[in-house]
Amino acid sequence: MNYIPKKRKFLLIGAGVASIAAAQSIREVDAQAEILIVSDDPAGYYSRPGLAYYLTGEINRENLFPFTEKDFRELGITRLNKRILRILPETHQVIDQDQQAITYDQLLIATGSTAIPFMSDSLQVKGVVKLDHLADADAILSMARRRQTGVVVGGGITALELTEGLRDRGMRVHLIMRGSQYWGNVLDPLESEIIERRLEQRGISLHKQAKISQLITDKNQLSAVRFQDGSTLACRLLAAAIGGRPQLSLAQQAGILTDRGILVDEQMQTNLADIYAAGDCAQVFDPSSGVSVIDSLWTTARQQGAAAGANMAGIETPYRRSTPYNVTRLADIPTTIIGRVGGGVDEDLQSIARGDSETWRQDPFAAVAQTVHEINRVRLMVGPHTLLGAVIMGEQSLSRVVYDFIDQQIDITDIRENLLEPGASLVSLLTNRWASWQRANDRPAQ
Ligand SMILES: Cc1cc2nc3c(=O)[nH]c(=O)nc-3n(C[C@H](O)[C@H](O)[C@H](O)COP(=O)(O)OP(=O)(O)OC[C@H]3O[C@@H](n4cnc5c(N)ncnc54)[C@H](O)[C@@H]3O)c2cc1C
């Protein structure tokens, strides 16, 4: 009798970018494996960062989906739209919402994070929304009415995306911030001020150091908000973005070690055999800093998922955390945030914002070099021998160069004093130094 090798069963919980990248890695190694992706989101795999552009109307719904049905078929992935309720590590099974058991050889938890609710039970009130899923974006669009008032609460990228999305749908938007500056633990006061001024020029009303104390409803429909100072603002729509929280309950109930996220080692493996985690739900050990960190970034989730998939398939692949960065748009100003830039307090966010990294908020104890020209601004966090972080607003030609300086830890000892001189030409100092580093490292000129 011929020996027929058993097909390995890979079960991936979640249909986000981390799971899809894991599936791609597994398939590269094992052409025969059964790969099952189970997700409770009926929309499946789509771009969450793209939801902002869907809200403003810059892209259509169909542009949110990176994969076609043909792509899934070619990868040989089976998909199931169900919620997983429990993991049973001893029997290598999970239990779905219909109490059906699904067995696995290797399991990936890639359950992402979920928006922190604004006031307990507020989501039961009609007109109070968040932005986690495509269904949330659809709900916001169905509620947005021209010339009506919409309120956005929070800080970070998502709060701004909601603000601009509602404004572009013709609403009169009020952005409510508890703190004294927008995104105060990542941006410095001048950067926040540039964004705030732009928002005001576009008709957004900013309420700083303001706190909503009560939602006023009429037959469970939001009709106004009351502030702590007693004043009220009539509105039928309130969108909250006060941070995201990794979805940990499946892991915790299964006895998997968690902290702020699911703790994984360099191979993206949890403390239990054959169970891995990746993406927004994972808190990953970073050997370079010796601490475990959460990123809520698309690229990071993809890289983590790819490493997890390879390890699950048996190819030892340590996840090497590259410098976290995001190229985004704040009040229409292209902005790149790289490495360690923050350290200030931010009362508007109760946890990590979407499109954010815990690393950004670390105080680098560095000197600051900067150039400012209207909205074009470069802020560099300068360590003793390397650049540690940067915020680049407006003109972006230096972003790639600065990313290399930070990620590759290019030595700046010889230009450090010049960088820190008032009025220094950061652009020429850095590009010259970068060009010589490229030549020394045999890198092709860009
Ligand atoms: C509005 C918004 C804007 C963003 N903007 C940016 C940006 O500008 N730049 C950037 O880099 N990143 C941004 N992000 C973050 C980025 O989208 C995430 O880092 C990335 O999507 C994480 O991927 P993931 O696969 O870990 O999780 P997710 O994409 O969150 O996927 C999690 C999956 O798990 C499923 N799931 C959860 N629990 C269960 C369960 N019990 N059973 C079954 N399925 C379950 C969910 O349905 C979902 O399919 C943004 C995110 C949001 C929401």
Side-chain angles (χ1 to χ4, degrees):
M1 201 170 79
N2 286 339
Y3 168 71
I4 302 170
K6 180 176 160 279
K7 281 186 191 173
R8 291 191 290 175
K9 286 187 182 171
F10 293 89
L11 174 58
L12 318 179
I13 309 177
V17 63
S19 269
I20 300 297
Q24 288 173 311
S25 286
I26 294 167
R27 187 55 80 213
E28 274 174 26
V29 178
D30 189 335
Q32 304 302 319
E34 282 179 24
I35 305 176
L36 173 62
I37 289 185
V38 188
S39 157
D40 61 357
D41 188 336
Y45 175 43
Y46 52 88
S47 164
R48 278 170 212 273
L51 293 178
Y53 302 95
Y54 176 51
L55 279 183
T56 57
E58 287 163 271
I59 59 172
N60 296 325
R61 209 171 189 282
E62 56 269 25
N63 300 125
L64 289 169
F65 296 91
F67 266 40
T68 61
E69 285 302 317
K70 185 165 164 267
D71 294 326
F72 282 115
R73 260 197 319 277
E74 284 176 2
L75 254 183
I77 298 174
T78 310
R79 284 166 296 154
L80 192 61
N81 176 206
K82 285 201 178 168
R83 182 157 185 81
I84 300 299
L85 301 182
R86 266 177 304 143
I87 300 170
L88 307 175
E90 306 78 25
T91 53
H92 277 53
Q93 286 176 316
V94 301
I95 304 297
D96 72 17
Q97 63 191 56
D98 302 322
Q99 300 302 325
Q100 298 293 312
I102 307 171
T103 55
Y104 63 82
D105 293 314
Q106 303 283 322
L107 176 70
L108 177 72
I109 308 174
T111 45
S113 64
T114 179
I116 294 178
F118 170 70
M119 294 181 159
S120 56
D121 295 340
S122 65
L123 286 172
Q124 315 306 325
V125 174
K126 272 192 224 142
V128 177
V129 293
K130 61 182 174 65
L131 185 57
D132 266 338
H133 302 281
L134 181 50
D136 296 322
D138 285 334
I140 293 171
L141 291 179
S142 73
M143 290 180 210
R145 299 270 180 285
R146 295 191 78 75
R147 285 185 285 282
Q148 282 195 359
T149 299
V151 164
V152 177
V153 183
I157 294 176
T158 310
L160 214 56
E161 289 173 345
L162 284 162
T163 301
E164 296 188 311
L166 296 183
R167 188 204 68 133
D168 286 2
R169 299 289 167 167
M171 295 195 79
R172 299 192 177 104
V173 187
H174 294 251
L175 176 59
I176 317 294
M177 298 186 287
R178 283 188 182 204
S180 55
Q181 71 175 89
Y182 170 69
W183 212 7
N185 61 357
V186 170
L187 303 182
D188 75 7
L190 184 55
E191 289 154 359
S192 298
E193 198 188 311
I194 292 171
I195 306 299
E196 290 164 12
R197 217 180 312 128
R198 295 270 287 202
L199 290 174
E200 283 171 337
Q201 281 163 1
R202 289 145 175 250
I204 311 289
S205 304
L206 295 185
H207 302 246
K208 292 195 211 172
Q209 293 177 309
K211 190 178 171 203
I212 293 173
S213 57
Q214 192 193 352
L215 303 179
I216 302 169
T217 57
D218 178 14
K219 298 193 184 85
N220 200 37
Q221 162 67 53
L222 181 73
S223 59
V225 293
R226 190 184 310 282
F227 292 95
Q228 219 162 30
D229 66 5
S231 59
T232 57
L233 175 65
C235 61
R236 291 178 66 80
L237 184 60
L238 180 150
I242 56 175
R245 194 176 280 150
Q247 304 228 55
L248 306 180
S249 55
L250 278 180
Q252 285 169 335
Q253 155 279 322
I256 294 168
L257 288 178
T258 60
D259 176 26
R260 301 183 303 287
I262 302 172
L263 291 168
V264 291
D265 63 16
E266 273 187 273
Q267 265 71 41
M268 309 304 295
Q269 187 166 1
T270 68
N271 60 310
L272 296 190
D274 304 324
I275 304 185
Y276 294 73
D280 279 10
C281 65
Q283 187 177 335
V284 185
F285 182 70
D286 176 13
S288 67
S289 64
V291 291
S292 293
V293 192
I294 296 181
D295 294 307
S296 181
L297 293 166
W298 179 267
T299 312
T300 311
R302 193 176 55 220
Q303 291 166 348
Q304 290 180 2
N311 286 305
M312 291 165 75
I315 306 294
E316 198 170 307
T317 310
Y319 166 65
R320 289 275 169 256
R321 190 165 180 267
S322 50
T323 300
Y325 77 99
N326 193 358
V327 186
T328 186
R329 223 177 43 178
L330 302 175
D332 260 355
I333 305 176
T335 303
T336 302
I337 303 164
I338 313 167
R340 288 182 275 159
V341 293
V345 282
D346 194 336
E347 295 171 53
D348 292 299
L349 288 165
Q350 294 183 17
S351 72
I352 189 165
R354 264 64 186 286
D356 187 347
S357 163
E358 285 187 338
T359 298
W360 295 352
R361 295 130 177 264
Q362 289 171 12
D363 192 345
F365 300 111
V368 177
Q370 53 192 332
T371 59
V372 184
H373 181 64
E374 294 176 356
I375 61 157
N376 296 324
R377 192 168 193 278
V378 179
R379 171 164 61 103
L380 301 176
M381 308 308 287
V382 184
H385 303 291
T386 54
L387 295 186
L388 305 173
V391 174
I392 301 171
M393 288 173 85
E395 166 59 43
Q396 290 295 310
S397 52
L398 206 57
S399 301
R400 166 70 210 284
V401 173
V402 171
Y403 179 82
D404 275 353
F405 267 95
I406 297 167
D407 191 58
Q408 300 292 317
Q409 302 192 2
I410 299 175
D411 187 68
I412 53 148
T413 317
D414 56 339
I415 57 168
R416 187 175 188 278
E417 291 309 311
N418 305 95
L419 284 173
L420 292 173
E421 269 168 28
S425 170
L426 302 186
V427 176
S428 60
L429 282 166
L430 290 178
T431 44
N432 290 340
R433 180 71 192 81
W434 184 64
S436 56
W437 171 80
Q438 281 194 310
R439 280 193 300 276
N441 288 279
D442 265 350
R443 301 212 173 202
Q446 299 295 308

